[in-house]
Amino acid sequence: MKLKQGSFLWYLYLDKIYCLLSVRNVRALMEYFHLLDVHHKNTLNDVVFFHFLNHVTNLTRPQIMMIFDMLDWNAMGEIGFDQFYMLVCILLSHQNHLEQQFIYRHSRPVFELLDLDGDLRIDLENFQLYSFLFNIKKQELNEIYQNFDFTGDHRLNYKEFKLFTIFNVDKYQKRQKAEKEKEEKFLLKSKVSQQSDVFTKKEHCLEKKI
Amino acid sequence: MEEKPSNASRRSLVHHDSNKSLLQGDIRNLWTTATLSELNVNLPLSHVSECSDLEGRRSSYLKGSVDTDNVDWEWDGGLRESLPGDDSSQQELDERTLMELELHRSHSLGSVPEGGDDDDSRIKAERSSSSLNVFKQTPHRAYWAEQQNRLPLPLVGLMENEVLEILTKTLESYRSGIGRNHFLTKQLRRSIEGLKKRRNKMLQVSVN
């Protein structure tokens, strides 16, 4: 999933730590929402919602309608600004590769979104349906259920889900740290090689002179 | 009989005022003020004097003004001095700065009769009235709209264009799905037309 470059959402900045928009950004988003709200009900219906997501992302029609169903949890056929804001934050976290951080920071709302049946548990199937939103692969998902389904009912309750988010964010931070170290090592190596090049060139020049 | 202040004292007064105002205000405020006041430049001279002199006091204020070149020099000098140590704590438009700019503008228009005498308090009163007139007479529409919305105009433009595209596609879906005469379709069409009008108005303002 990718955001269309140059679209309005593309210019919004998601805080990397809290995974939230600034007040100024939320105000701009609200203005945008009100422009889309053509029927003046403070909501967006499925048609407007589809065209909106179709315009700003590369999501397919079934994916968009699945997201709409997820956000419209009370089956009103419309979504309000709260849901819209949540969706925009998810899109931006995906765009900025902050999915793990986002799930960790907003574990409760994400859990409630993924709990489609409302029985305070997340099925493997439901999680798999929306895994594209959080960039979780099928293999990873199976591992999550193997490692964190302590009750053994093939579903995650909130505590299990929370543990998964903590483990996930820890893994993410370690990965980031490792990448940083790798970059630093690479920079150091390139510097050393540059210096050695200069040294050999100088030696070569000296030899020539002699 | 009123006492004529000497040229030197007037200069020092202007110098003091301009320096004070420039040091107090943010340099960006000066830019904003200049933009506001420059709107009247293209107006006919008679209209300008009407605008700035509702009670016929403008001429007396101008009579009391000093040599234009000196004022310009003083003003520019003040500006140059204020640049390095710019104090950006004051966010409000400085009224004194506005006065100076208004004075500067009126000189550049060439509507300055030479000679005459006035006391300082009268000059100040006239200046403040003229600065208020700047606010009244030159509402820069795009500028004020931006200030009221608190959203940058390019962002608003981008937002509206994007929404317009989305809504146009939605209208097609509405027409094929629920028909042209459905009240939702009509409502959507009206919204699109309203948005288009708004965008055109904004474009016109930005062109002007």
Side-chain angles (χ1 to χ4, degrees), chain B residues 114-189:
Chain B
E114 283 178 15
D117 51 300
D118 250 329
D119 57 354
D120 290 345
S121 60
R122 203 165 175 187
I123 289 171
K124 279 179 186 172
E126 297 306 329
R127 283 178 180 185
S128 62
S129 70
S130 67
S131 67
L132 285 172
N133 283 332
V134 172
F135 281 119
K136 284 177 190 170
Q137 302 296 330
T138 58
H140 192 303
R141 282 159 70 192
Y143 173 77
W144 289 118
E146 186 180 337
Q147 288 300 303
Q148 281 161 9
N149 292 332
R150 300 270 177 190
L151 284 179
L153 277 176
L155 190 70
V156 174
L158 172 82
M159 209 190 275
E160 286 183 351
N161 283 339
E162 195 172 302
V163 168
L164 209 58
E165 279 179 44
I166 294 167
L167 293 183
T168 311
K169 286 176 193 169
T170 311
L171 185 66
E172 284 168 23
S173 296
Y174 270 31
R175 277 177 179 162
S176 58
I178 53 176
R180 282 173 179 270
N181 296 323
H182 196 279
F183 78 97
L184 289 176
T185 314
K186 286 178 183 172
Q187 197 177 25
L188 178 57
R189 202 172 52 229

Side-chain angles (χ1 to χ4, degrees), chain A residues 8 27 32 39 45 51 55, chain B residues 149 162 165 173-174 187:
Chain A
F8 168 70
R27 203 183 175 283
Y32 186 76
H39 303 303
N45 62 29
H51 285 291
H55 187 82
Chain B
N149 292 332
E162 195 172 302
E165 279 179 44
S173 296
Y174 270 31
Q187 197 177 25

